[in-house]
Amino acid sequence: MSVTMCQTMGFVVSTLGFAGIIVSTCLDMWSTQDLYDNPVTAVFTFQGLWRSCVQQSSGFTECRPYYTILGLPAMFQAVRALMIVGIVLGCIGLLVAIFSLKCIRIGNMEDSAKAKITLTSGIMFILAGLCSIIGVSVFANMLVTNFWMTTANMYTGGAISGMGGMGGLQTLQTRYTFGAALFVGWIAGGLTLIGGVMMCLACRGLMPEETNYKAVSYHVSAKSPGYKTSAYEEKSKKSIYNESRRSEDGKSYPSKYDYV
């Protein structure tokens, strides 16, 4: 019962995590505009993996997809690839996990076969969760680097302007911070990873226990002369002796074995 519960819970948790990876990949709020110390709040910008959007104070939102591939940074394209690979691995793991559930019987499938399928689906979910976590973490590292570089440029530009007599005026630049999609991706990747580990643990309980010895059956042919009994040999001797006592005219003569 515990094995079935562990397998079912791993399947449910992995499914939720897989759905979260898809949602995170499709969301547009991977990076949002930092509104701290920004007097201009009439326009709010945010970006995703596939398009950038601008939201006005009136509520109107306009999004524009990225029309270029080669013009995007290499790390940005790597994040895209990791999320897509995570979705593909999660889809394969989900399809395999359906057939590995112990509550579902398909023909005469043995428990050992279900254990191998469960292990395969668990590995797929673990890889999908790792791809999601790594992809989101790489994007977050890009945001942190760009944020501090932009901040340094803002104050450096202000100091240079101050030397010209502007009194240390700070240049206004757009900075981006973490969006909601990053947190969804982290949580979804963690759920998928945990579900995959639970599926791998359930695999051990589904494997049949092996005995320390193996029974071997020996089949001996009845025609083998080495296994004839003494009674069989005695009977053969009597038959041969009686045949030798027969004459050519068909008459049989008594032998010493007839009086025993």
Side-chain angles (χ1 to χ4, degrees):
M1 183 63 181
S2 59
V3 176
T4 305
M5 183 64 67
C6 181
Q7 186 188 38
T8 306
M9 289 299 297
F11 175 76
V12 173
V13 173
S14 300
T15 303
L16 293 176
F18 172 65
I21 294 175
I22 297 177
V23 172
S24 173
T25 306
C26 297
L27 284 177
D28 294 325
M29 288 191 176
W30 278 68
S31 60
T32 59
Q33 182 180 356
D34 183 28
L35 299 179
Y36 176 75
D37 198 17
N38 188 0
V40 181
T41 57
V43 178
F44 177 72
T45 61
F46 52 93
Q47 299 175 352
L49 294 180
W50 313 104
R51 58 182 183 174
S52 60
C53 302
V54 177
Q55 183 179 6
Q56 300 179 0
S57 58
S58 60
F60 177 76
T61 303
E62 182 180 0
C63 296
R64 179 181 180 184
Y66 302 121
Y67 292 106
T68 180
I69 297 178
L70 300 178
L72 297 174
M75 297 300 293
F76 189 84
Q77 297 183 15
V79 172
R80 277 181 168 184
L82 284 171
M83 299 305 294
I84 292 175
V85 171
I87 292 175
V88 172
L89 291 176
C91 182
I92 296 175
L94 183 63
L95 294 177
V96 174
I98 293 176
F99 297 100
S100 67
L101 293 177
K102 197 172 182 180
C103 57
I104 298 177
R105 284 290 180 181
I106 302 176
N108 296 325
M109 185 180 294
E110 299 179 355
D111 290 339
S112 59
K114 282 185 172 291
K116 295 178 181 178
I117 297 176
T118 303
L119 179 62
T120 303
S121 62
I123 294 174
M124 291 292 181
F125 284 132
I126 291 175
L127 294 177
L130 289 177
C131 287
S132 176
I133 294 174
I134 293 173
V136 174
S137 300
V138 169
F139 193 90
N141 181 61
M142 293 171 54
L143 283 180
V144 172
T145 303
N146 294 332
F147 182 87
W148 291 115
M149 289 180 63
T150 305
T151 303
N153 292 333
M154 288 171 58
Y155 288 101
T156 302
I160 295 174
S161 300
M163 294 178 184
M166 295 300 291
L169 181 63
Q170 180 179 329
T171 59
L172 184 61
Q173 295 184 9
T174 303
R175 298 183 299 183
Y176 291 92
T177 184
F178 294 168
L182 295 181
F183 300 101
V184 175
W186 273 319
I187 296 174
L191 289 177
T192 309
L193 184 63
I194 294 173
V197 172
M198 294 178 67
M199 296 287 285
C200 293
L201 293 178
C203 166
R204 299 185 60 184
L206 293 175
M207 291 293 293
E209 297 181 358
E210 296 183 358
T211 57
N212 296 328
Y213 63 91
K214 296 182 179 180
V216 180
S217 59
Y218 297 94
H219 300 281
V220 180
S221 177
K223 297 181 179 180
S224 177
Y227 292 92
K228 292 181 180 179
T229 59
S230 58
Y232 180 84
E233 295 177 354
E234 189 69 21
K235 184 177 180 181
S236 300
K237 291 180 180 179
K238 290 182 181 181
S239 177
I240 295 171
Y241 188 83
N242 290 335
E243 290 293 334
S244 64
R245 294 287 299 171
R246 291 182 181 275
S247 61
E248 296 181 359
D249 56 356
K251 296 181 180 181
S252 61
Y253 297 92
S255 62
K256 63 179 180 179
Y257 295 101
D258 296 337
Y259 301 96
V260 176

mmCIF file of all heavy atoms in Angstrom, residues 203-244:
data_model
loop_
_atom_site.group_PDB
_atom_site.id
_atom_site.type_symbol
_atom_site.label_atom_id
_atom_site.label_comp_id
_atom_site.label_asym_id
_atom_site.label_seq_id
_atom_site.Cartn_x
_atom_site.Cartn_y
_atom_site.Cartn_z
ATOM 1 N N CYS A 203 10.094 2.593 -7.218
ATOM 2 C CA CYS A 203 10.609 1.531 -8.081
ATOM 3 C C CYS A 203 11.202 0.398 -7.256
ATOM 4 O O CYS A 203 11.038 -0.771 -7.599
ATOM 5 C CB CYS A 203 11.646 2.102 -9.055
ATOM 6 S SG CYS A 203 12.644 0.874 -9.897
ATOM 7 N N ARG A 204 11.881 0.717 -6.169
ATOM 8 C CA ARG A 204 12.497 -0.321 -5.343
ATOM 9 C C ARG A 204 11.450 -1.223 -4.700
ATOM 10 O O ARG A 204 11.670 -2.420 -4.528
ATOM 11 C CB ARG A 204 13.361 0.324 -4.266
ATOM 12 C CG ARG A 204 14.501 1.167 -4.817
ATOM 13 C CD ARG A 204 15.380 1.686 -3.713
ATOM 14 N NE ARG A 204 15.963 0.596 -2.942
ATOM 15 C CZ ARG A 204 16.723 0.764 -1.868
ATOM 16 N NH1 ARG A 204 16.973 1.996 -1.427
ATOM 17 N NH2 ARG A 204 17.215 -0.267 -1.223
ATOM 18 N N GLY A 205 10.309 -0.655 -4.337
ATOM 19 C CA GLY A 205 9.255 -1.468 -3.736
ATOM 20 C C GLY A 205 8.521 -2.344 -4.726
ATOM 21 O O GLY A 205 7.918 -3.351 -4.347
ATOM 22 N N LEU A 206 8.542 -1.967 -6.004
ATOM 23 C CA LEU A 206 7.865 -2.765 -7.029
ATOM 24 C C LEU A 206 8.689 -3.943 -7.514
ATOM 25 O O LEU A 206 8.152 -4.874 -8.110
ATOM 26 C CB LEU A 206 7.515 -1.881 -8.232
ATOM 27 C CG LEU A 206 6.465 -0.792 -7.998
ATOM 28 C CD1 LEU A 206 6.325 0.073 -9.239
ATOM 29 C CD2 LEU A 206 5.125 -1.415 -7.648
ATOM 30 N N MET A 207 10.002 -3.919 -7.273
ATOM 31 C CA MET A 207 10.853 -5.018 -7.725
ATOM 32 C C MET A 207 10.569 -6.265 -6.902
ATOM 33 O O MET A 207 10.511 -6.210 -5.676
ATOM 34 C CB MET A 207 12.330 -4.633 -7.597
ATOM 35 C CG MET A 207 12.758 -3.544 -8.569
ATOM 36 S SD MET A 207 12.705 -4.087 -10.284
ATOM 37 C CE MET A 207 13.990 -5.304 -10.279
ATOM 38 N N PRO A 208 10.376 -7.427 -7.537
ATOM 39 C CA PRO A 208 10.129 -8.662 -6.780
ATOM 40 C C PRO A 208 11.378 -9.097 -6.030
ATOM 41 O O PRO A 208 12.506 -8.883 -6.482
ATOM 42 C CB PRO A 208 9.754 -9.675 -7.871
ATOM 43 C CG PRO A 208 10.384 -9.147 -9.121
ATOM 44 C CD PRO A 208 10.353 -7.656 -8.993
ATOM 45 N N GLU A 209 11.155 -9.712 -4.862
ATOM 46 C CA GLU A 209 12.276 -10.170 -4.050
ATOM 47 C C GLU A 209 12.898 -11.407 -4.677
ATOM 48 O O GLU A 209 12.205 -12.348 -5.073
ATOM 49 C CB GLU A 209 11.809 -10.486 -2.628
ATOM 50 C CG GLU A 209 11.260 -9.267 -1.891
ATOM 51 C CD GLU A 209 10.842 -9.618 -0.485
ATOM 52 O OE1 GLU A 209 10.950 -10.819 -0.130
ATOM 53 O OE2 GLU A 209 10.405 -8.709 0.245
ATOM 54 N N GLU A 210 14.225 -11.431 -4.735
ATOM 55 C CA GLU A 210 14.949 -12.563 -5.318
ATOM 56 C C GLU A 210 15.382 -13.517 -4.206
ATOM 57 O O GLU A 210 15.844 -13.101 -3.149
ATOM 58 C CB GLU A 210 16.182 -12.068 -6.074
ATOM 59 C CG GLU A 210 15.840 -11.201 -7.275
ATOM 60 C CD GLU A 210 17.074 -10.795 -8.039
ATOM 61 O OE1 GLU A 210 18.184 -11.171 -7.578
ATOM 62 O OE2 GLU A 210 16.941 -10.115 -9.068
ATOM 63 N N THR A 211 15.235 -14.828 -4.446
ATOM 64 C CA THR A 211 15.652 -15.842 -3.478
ATOM 65 C C THR A 211 17.152 -16.088 -3.591
ATOM 66 O O THR A 211 17.780 -15.789 -4.602
ATOM 67 C CB THR A 211 14.883 -17.153 -3.732
ATOM 68 O OG1 THR A 211 15.121 -17.560 -5.090
ATOM 69 C CG2 THR A 211 13.391 -16.949 -3.541
ATOM 70 N N ASN A 212 17.707 -16.678 -2.533
ATOM 71 C CA ASN A 212 19.140 -16.945 -2.510
ATOM 72 C C ASN A 212 19.535 -18.173 -3.310
ATOM 73 O O ASN A 212 20.710 -18.400 -3.552
ATOM 74 C CB ASN A 212 19.619 -17.121 -1.056
ATOM 75 C CG ASN A 212 19.436 -15.836 -0.250
ATOM 76 O OD1 ASN A 212 19.539 -14.751 -0.804
ATOM 77 N ND2 ASN A 212 19.181 -15.993 1.047
ATOM 78 N N TYR A 213 18.585 -19.017 -3.670
ATOM 79 C CA TYR A 213 18.886 -20.216 -4.437
ATOM 80 C C TYR A 213 17.954 -20.276 -5.624
ATOM 81 O O TYR A 213 16.898 -19.668 -5.651
ATOM 82 C CB TYR A 213 18.710 -21.474 -3.580
ATOM 83 C CG TYR A 213 17.294 -21.685 -3.088
ATOM 84 C CD1 TYR A 213 16.376 -22.433 -3.833
ATOM 85 C CD2 TYR A 213 16.867 -21.117 -1.891
ATOM 86 C CE1 TYR A 213 15.081 -22.604 -3.394
ATOM 87 C CE2 TYR A 213 15.575 -21.290 -1.444
ATOM 88 C CZ TYR A 213 14.683 -22.032 -2.197
ATOM 89 O OH TYR A 213 13.411 -22.205 -1.760
ATOM 90 N N LYS A 214 18.355 -21.021 -6.586
ATOM 91 C CA LYS A 214 17.563 -21.207 -7.793
ATOM 92 C C LYS A 214 17.292 -22.691 -7.993
ATOM 93 O O LYS A 214 18.220 -23.502 -8.015
ATOM 94 C CB LYS A 214 18.295 -20.644 -9.019
ATOM 95 C CG LYS A 214 18.492 -19.137 -8.952
ATOM 96 C CD LYS A 214 19.170 -18.625 -10.216
ATOM 97 C CE LYS A 214 19.333 -17.114 -10.146
ATOM 98 N NZ LYS A 214 19.994 -16.587 -11.380
ATOM 99 N N ALA A 215 16.031 -23.042 -8.073
ATOM 100 C CA ALA A 215 15.658 -24.447 -8.256
ATOM 101 C C ALA A 215 15.925 -24.879 -9.685
ATOM 102 O O ALA A 215 15.606 -24.172 -10.636
ATOM 103 C CB ALA A 215 14.175 -24.644 -7.921
ATOM 104 N N VAL A 216 16.544 -26.072 -9.805
ATOM 105 C CA VAL A 216 16.886 -26.624 -11.114
ATOM 106 C C VAL A 216 16.253 -28.001 -11.219
ATOM 107 O O VAL A 216 16.425 -28.841 -10.330
ATOM 108 C CB VAL A 216 18.409 -26.723 -11.311
ATOM 109 C CG1 VAL A 216 18.724 -27.298 -12.671
ATOM 110 C CG2 VAL A 216 19.044 -25.352 -11.137
ATOM 111 N N SER A 217 15.507 -28.241 -12.257
ATOM 112 C CA SER A 217 14.858 -29.534 -12.473
ATOM 113 C C SER A 217 15.659 -30.332 -13.489
ATOM 114 O O SER A 217 16.107 -29.801 -14.506
ATOM 115 C CB SER A 217 13.422 -29.332 -12.972
ATOM 116 O OG SER A 217 13.429 -28.595 -14.173
ATOM 117 N N TYR A 218 15.830 -31.609 -13.184
ATOM 118 C CA TYR A 218 16.572 -32.507 -14.070
ATOM 119 C C TYR A 218 15.593 -33.479 -14.710
ATOM 120 O O TYR A 218 14.818 -34.149 -14.024
ATOM 121 C CB TYR A 218 17.633 -33.287 -13.281
ATOM 122 C CG TYR A 218 18.689 -32.402 -12.665
ATOM 123 C CD1 TYR A 218 18.564 -31.951 -11.353
ATOM 124 C CD2 TYR A 218 19.806 -32.029 -13.389
ATOM 125 C CE1 TYR A 218 19.526 -31.137 -10.793
ATOM 126 C CE2 TYR A 218 20.781 -31.217 -12.832
ATOM 127 C CZ TYR A 218 20.635 -30.774 -11.536
ATOM 128 O OH TYR A 218 21.589 -29.973 -10.985
ATOM 129 N N HIS A 219 15.630 -33.591 -16.018
ATOM 130 C CA HIS A 219 14.772 -34.497 -16.764
ATOM 131 C C HIS A 219 15.642 -35.601 -17.353
ATOM 132 O O HIS A 219 16.527 -35.328 -18.175
ATOM 133 C CB HIS A 219 14.041 -33.752 -17.885
ATOM 134 C CG HIS A 219 13.175 -32.634 -17.385
ATOM 135 N ND1 HIS A 219 11.930 -32.845 -16.842
ATOM 136 C CD2 HIS A 219 13.410 -31.288 -17.309
ATOM 137 C CE1 HIS A 219 11.399 -31.684 -16.478
ATOM 138 N NE2 HIS A 219 12.288 -30.724 -16.750
ATOM 139 N N VAL A 220 15.387 -36.839 -16.893
ATOM 140 C CA VAL A 220 16.194 -37.983 -17.326
ATOM 141 C C VAL A 220 15.395 -38.800 -18.326
ATOM 142 O O VAL A 220 14.227 -39.110 -18.098
ATOM 143 C CB VAL A 220 16.590 -38.860 -16.117
ATOM 144 C CG1 VAL A 220 17.428 -40.036 -16.578
ATOM 145 C CG2 VAL A 220 17.333 -38.031 -15.100
ATOM 146 N N SER A 221 16.007 -39.138 -19.433
ATOM 147 C CA SER A 221 15.337 -39.934 -20.451
ATOM 148 C C SER A 221 15.182 -41.377 -19.994
ATOM 149 O O SER A 221 16.099 -41.956 -19.382
ATOM 150 C CB SER A 221 16.145 -39.878 -21.757
ATOM 151 O OG SER A 221 15.546 -40.705 -22.720
ATOM 152 N N ALA A 222 14.038 -41.971 -20.300
ATOM 153 C CA ALA A 222 13.777 -43.356 -19.904
ATOM 154 C C ALA A 222 14.608 -44.341 -20.701
ATOM 155 O O ALA A 222 14.799 -45.479 -20.302
ATOM 156 C CB ALA A 222 12.295 -43.686 -20.081
ATOM 157 N N LYS A 223 15.104 -43.937 -21.860
ATOM 158 C CA LYS A 223 15.898 -44.818 -22.699
ATOM 159 C C LYS A 223 17.369 -44.844 -22.308
ATOM 160 O O LYS A 223 18.160 -45.547 -22.915
ATOM 161 C CB LYS A 223 15.782 -44.385 -24.159
ATOM 162 C CG LYS A 223 14.373 -44.486 -24.688
ATOM 163 C CD LYS A 223 14.316 -44.075 -26.145
ATOM 164 C CE LYS A 223 12.911 -44.194 -26.689
ATOM 165 N NZ LYS A 223 12.843 -43.790 -28.111
ATOM 166 N N SER A 224 17.753 -44.033 -21.341
ATOM 167 C CA SER A 224 19.157 -43.989 -20.944
ATOM 168 C C SER A 224 19.515 -45.240 -20.176
ATOM 169 O O SER A 224 18.872 -45.576 -19.187
ATOM 170 C CB SER A 224 19.412 -42.758 -20.084
ATOM 171 O OG SER A 224 20.750 -42.741 -19.648
ATOM 172 N N PRO A 225 20.544 -46.013 -20.584
ATOM 173 C CA PRO A 225 20.860 -47.286 -19.915
ATOM 174 C C PRO A 225 21.483 -47.082 -18.545
ATOM 175 O O PRO A 225 21.489 -47.990 -17.732
ATOM 176 C CB PRO A 225 21.858 -47.938 -20.870
ATOM 177 C CG PRO A 225 22.493 -46.802 -21.586
ATOM 178 C CD PRO A 225 21.411 -45.763 -21.734
ATOM 179 N N GLY A 226 21.986 -45.934 -18.264
ATOM 180 C CA GLY A 226 22.649 -45.714 -16.985
ATOM 181 C C GLY A 226 21.697 -45.601 -15.826
ATOM 182 O O GLY A 226 22.114 -45.675 -14.678
ATOM 183 N N TYR A 227 20.395 -45.391 -16.081
ATOM 184 C CA TYR A 227 19.418 -45.189 -15.012
ATOM 185 C C TYR A 227 18.396 -46.321 -14.946
ATOM 186 O O TYR A 227 17.330 -46.143 -14.424
ATOM 187 C CB TYR A 227 18.697 -43.846 -15.197
ATOM 188 C CG TYR A 227 19.584 -42.654 -14.995
ATOM 189 C CD1 TYR A 227 20.251 -42.091 -16.073
ATOM 190 C CD2 TYR A 227 19.787 -42.120 -13.722
ATOM 191 C CE1 TYR A 227 21.101 -41.009 -15.895
ATOM 192 C CE2 TYR A 227 20.624 -41.035 -13.534
ATOM 193 C CZ TYR A 227 21.286 -40.484 -14.622
ATOM 194 O OH TYR A 227 22.119 -39.405 -14.449
ATOM 195 N N LYS A 228 18.708 -47.500 -15.512
ATOM 196 C CA LYS A 228 17.791 -48.650 -15.420
ATOM 197 C C LYS A 228 17.957 -49.318 -14.072
ATOM 198 O O LYS A 228 19.066 -49.501 -13.579
ATOM 199 C CB LYS A 228 18.081 -49.651 -16.528
ATOM 200 C CG LYS A 228 17.738 -49.117 -17.923
ATOM 201 C CD LYS A 228 18.023 -50.139 -18.977
ATOM 202 C CE LYS A 228 17.675 -49.608 -20.365
ATOM 203 N NZ LYS A 228 17.962 -50.596 -21.433
ATOM 204 N N THR A 229 16.857 -49.725 -13.508
ATOM 205 C CA THR A 229 16.883 -50.364 -12.189
ATOM 206 C C THR A 229 17.226 -51.831 -12.317
ATOM 207 O O THR A 229 17.196 -52.427 -13.400
ATOM 208 C CB THR A 229 15.520 -50.202 -11.512
ATOM 209 O OG1 THR A 229 14.536 -50.801 -12.337
ATOM 210 C CG2 THR A 229 15.177 -48.722 -11.338
ATOM 211 N N SER A 230 17.496 -52.456 -11.172
ATOM 212 C CA SER A 230 17.833 -53.880 -11.153
ATOM 213 C C SER A 230 16.636 -54.740 -11.524
ATOM 214 O O SER A 230 16.771 -55.785 -12.162
ATOM 215 C CB SER A 230 18.342 -54.271 -9.764
ATOM 216 O OG SER A 230 17.354 -53.971 -8.781
ATOM 217 N N ALA A 231 15.434 -54.288 -11.146
ATOM 218 C CA ALA A 231 14.238 -55.048 -11.504
ATOM 219 C C ALA A 231 14.036 -55.054 -13.013
ATOM 220 O O ALA A 231 13.652 -56.075 -13.606
ATOM 221 C CB ALA A 231 13.011 -54.464 -10.806
ATOM 222 N N TYR A 232 14.331 -53.918 -13.640
ATOM 223 C CA TYR A 232 14.209 -53.836 -15.094
ATOM 224 C C TYR A 232 15.223 -54.753 -15.783
ATOM 225 O O TYR A 232 14.920 -55.429 -16.768
ATOM 226 C CB TYR A 232 14.425 -52.380 -15.540
ATOM 227 C CG TYR A 232 14.313 -52.176 -17.024
ATOM 228 C CD1 TYR A 232 13.082 -51.994 -17.625
ATOM 229 C CD2 TYR A 232 15.457 -52.160 -17.814
ATOM 230 C CE1 TYR A 232 12.985 -51.807 -18.990
ATOM 231 C CE2 TYR A 232 15.367 -51.978 -19.183
ATOM 232 C CZ TYR A 232 14.135 -51.798 -19.769
ATOM 233 O OH TYR A 232 14.036 -51.609 -21.120
ATOM 234 N N GLU A 233 16.455 -54.828 -15.214
ATOM 235 C CA GLU A 233 17.466 -55.715 -15.787
ATOM 236 C C GLU A 233 17.077 -57.177 -15.613
ATOM 237 O O GLU A 233 17.283 -58.006 -16.511
ATOM 238 C CB GLU A 233 18.807 -55.439 -15.129
ATOM 239 C CG GLU A 233 19.352 -54.038 -15.433
ATOM 240 C CD GLU A 233 20.636 -53.782 -14.700
ATOM 241 O OE1 GLU A 233 21.025 -54.652 -13.882
ATOM 242 O OE2 GLU A 233 21.247 -52.722 -14.938
ATOM 243 N N GLU A 234 16.529 -57.542 -14.452
ATOM 244 C CA GLU A 234 16.125 -58.935 -14.196
ATOM 245 C C GLU A 234 15.012 -59.353 -15.140
ATOM 246 O O GLU A 234 14.992 -60.472 -15.664
ATOM 247 C CB GLU A 234 15.665 -59.065 -12.738
ATOM 248 C CG GLU A 234 15.436 -60.516 -12.286
ATOM 249 C CD GLU A 234 16.750 -61.268 -12.188
ATOM 250 O OE1 GLU A 234 17.811 -60.622 -12.067
ATOM 251 O OE2 GLU A 234 16.711 -62.516 -12.225
ATOM 252 N N LYS A 235 14.090 -58.450 -15.389
ATOM 253 C CA LYS A 235 12.981 -58.751 -16.293
ATOM 254 C C LYS A 235 13.477 -58.949 -17.720
ATOM 255 O O LYS A 235 12.997 -59.800 -18.461
ATOM 256 C CB LYS A 235 11.959 -57.620 -16.233
ATOM 257 C CG LYS A 235 10.719 -57.886 -17.068
ATOM 258 C CD LYS A 235 9.711 -56.762 -16.900
ATOM 259 C CE LYS A 235 8.475 -57.032 -17.746
ATOM 260 N NZ LYS A 235 7.491 -55.927 -17.602
ATOM 261 N N SER A 236 14.482 -58.171 -18.101
ATOM 262 C CA SER A 236 15.041 -58.302 -19.449
ATOM 263 C C SER A 236 15.757 -59.633 -19.621
ATOM 264 O O SER A 236 15.670 -60.274 -20.670
ATOM 265 C CB SER A 236 16.007 -57.144 -19.707
ATOM 266 O OG SER A 236 15.338 -55.921 -19.606
ATOM 267 N N LYS A 237 16.483 -60.078 -18.576
ATOM 268 C CA LYS A 237 17.173 -61.371 -18.644
ATOM 269 C C LYS A 237 16.190 -62.530 -18.815
ATOM 270 O O LYS A 237 16.401 -63.462 -19.583
ATOM 271 C CB LYS A 237 18.012 -61.581 -17.400
ATOM 272 C CG LYS A 237 19.218 -60.653 -17.321
ATOM 273 C CD LYS A 237 19.994 -60.918 -16.056
ATOM 274 C CE LYS A 237 21.204 -59.989 -15.983
ATOM 275 N NZ LYS A 237 21.976 -60.217 -14.731
ATOM 276 N N LYS A 238 15.065 -62.456 -18.083
ATOM 277 C CA LYS A 238 14.060 -63.510 -18.192
ATOM 278 C C LYS A 238 13.476 -63.570 -19.595
ATOM 279 O O LYS A 238 13.257 -64.633 -20.159
ATOM 280 C CB LYS A 238 12.941 -63.272 -17.171
ATOM 281 C CG LYS A 238 13.360 -63.505 -15.738
ATOM 282 C CD LYS A 238 12.180 -63.283 -14.801
ATOM 283 C CE LYS A 238 12.583 -63.497 -13.349
ATOM 284 N NZ LYS A 238 11.440 -63.311 -12.438
ATOM 285 N N SER A 239 13.207 -62.402 -20.156
ATOM 286 C CA SER A 239 12.617 -62.368 -21.490
ATOM 287 C C SER A 239 13.579 -62.938 -22.526
ATOM 288 O O SER A 239 13.184 -63.699 -23.414
ATOM 289 C CB SER A 239 12.248 -60.927 -21.842
ATOM 290 O OG SER A 239 11.743 -60.853 -23.150
ATOM 291 N N ILE A 240 14.861 -62.623 -22.406
ATOM 292 C CA ILE A 240 15.842 -63.144 -23.367
ATOM 293 C C ILE A 240 16.008 -64.657 -23.238
ATOM 294 O O ILE A 240 16.106 -65.390 -24.220
ATOM 295 C CB ILE A 240 17.183 -62.425 -23.166
ATOM 296 C CG1 ILE A 240 17.033 -60.937 -23.512
ATOM 297 C CG2 ILE A 240 18.286 -63.046 -24.004
ATOM 298 C CD1 ILE A 240 18.242 -60.114 -23.148
ATOM 299 N N TYR A 241 16.008 -65.145 -22.002
ATOM 300 C CA TYR A 241 16.188 -66.586 -21.785
ATOM 301 C C TYR A 241 15.004 -67.361 -22.326
ATOM 302 O O TYR A 241 15.158 -68.431 -22.910
ATOM 303 C CB TYR A 241 16.357 -66.851 -20.279
ATOM 304 C CG TYR A 241 16.732 -68.283 -19.967
ATOM 305 C CD1 TYR A 241 18.059 -68.712 -20.037
ATOM 306 C CD2 TYR A 241 15.738 -69.207 -19.595
ATOM 307 C CE1 TYR A 241 18.390 -70.018 -19.772
ATOM 308 C CE2 TYR A 241 16.071 -70.514 -19.317
ATOM 309 C CZ TYR A 241 17.394 -70.916 -19.401
ATOM 310 O OH TYR A 241 17.735 -72.218 -19.133
ATOM 311 N N ASN A 242 13.780 -66.836 -22.124
ATOM 312 C CA ASN A 242 12.596 -67.538 -22.620
ATOM 313 C C ASN A 242 12.571 -67.570 -24.138
ATOM 314 O O ASN A 242 12.121 -68.551 -24.741
ATOM 315 C CB ASN A 242 11.325 -66.864 -22.099
ATOM 316 C CG ASN A 242 11.150 -67.087 -20.590
ATOM 317 O OD1 ASN A 242 11.662 -68.078 -20.046
ATOM 318 N ND2 ASN A 242 10.444 -66.172 -19.932
ATOM 319 N N GLU A 243 13.030 -66.518 -24.769
ATOM 320 C CA GLU A 243 13.056 -66.487 -26.235
ATOM 321 C C GLU A 243 14.045 -67.502 -26.790
ATOM 322 O O GLU A 243 13.849 -68.073 -27.855
ATOM 323 C CB GLU A 243 13.418 -65.072 -26.715
ATOM 324 C CG GLU A 243 12.335 -64.028 -26.469
ATOM 325 C CD GLU A 243 11.102 -64.285 -27.319
ATOM 326 O OE1 GLU A 243 11.237 -64.902 -28.381
ATOM 327 O OE2 GLU A 243 10.007 -63.867 -26.883
ATOM 328 N N SER A 244 15.131 -67.719 -26.055
ATOM 329 C CA SER A 244 16.126 -68.685 -26.521
ATOM 330 C C SER A 244 15.643 -70.117 -26.407
ATOM 331 O O SER A 244 16.160 -71.024 -27.061
ATOM 332 C CB SER A 244 17.425 -68.506 -25.725
ATOM 333 O OG SER A 244 17.199 -68.801 -24.368
#
